[in-house]
Amino acid sequence: HVQLVESGGGLVQPGGSLRLSCAASGSILSNYNMHWYRQAPGKQRTWVATITVTNITNYADSVKGRFAISRDNAKNTVYLQMDSLKPEDTAVYYCNFLGSGSWGQGTQVTVSS
């Protein structure tokens, strides 16, 4: 049984920063490529970032240069550092890996003046 818990979201002004966390129980995240996704109101869930088991990262074009995904294997946690936030980044953010079998509740990020 895998449980993924996202946290760290909140309300931030345009240009601000947030650091999201994804903590796992029931699975060792270091064994998996990890992904962040987001879903804006009325929109499909879209892919944001990936970090592989060998720490290779990849990002959606919309967030390149602004977001950074990282992992702390000792804490069994994955992070998403978000800088230079824009209103269009407003969404519920989720972490996941292939084979988890479920989605967590996500964490709300709202970018607004």
Side-chain angles (χ1 to χ4, degrees), residues 1-6 22-29 32-35 37 45 94-104:
H1 177 64
V2 177
Q3 183 176 1
L4 296 168
V5 179
E6 301 91 346
C22 172
S25 62
S27 185
I28 305 299
L29 297 187
Y32 301 93
N33 299 335
M34 295 298 301
H35 314 274
Y37 300 82
R45 201 192 319 260
Y94 304 86
C95 67
N96 218 328
F97 61 92
L98 184 64
S100 74
S102 65
W103 295 90

Side-chain angles (χ1 to χ4, degrees), residues 3 8-9 15 27 32 38 41 57-58 67 73 79 81 83 86 90 96 107:
Q3 183 176 1
S27 185
Y32 301 93
R38 66 187 181 186
T57 59
N58 198 14
F67 290 12
N73 292 338
Y79 303 95
Q81 177 68 43
D83 298 326
K86 304 175 180 179
T90 296
N96 218 328
T107 185

Side-chain angles (χ1 to χ4, degrees), residues 11 25 49 52 58-59 63 82 84 92-93 95 97 108 113:
L11 175 64
S25 62
T52 71
N58 198 14
Y59 302 92
V63 306
M82 306 185 297
S84 301
V92 178
Y93 284 72
C95 67
F97 61 92
Q108 175 71 52
S113 298

Side-chain angles (χ1 to χ4, degrees), residues 48-64:
V48 173
T50 292
I51 184 166
T52 71
V53 295
T54 55
N55 288 324
I56 297 173
T57 59
N58 198 14
Y59 302 92
D61 288 342
S62 58
V63 306
K64 280 182 179 177

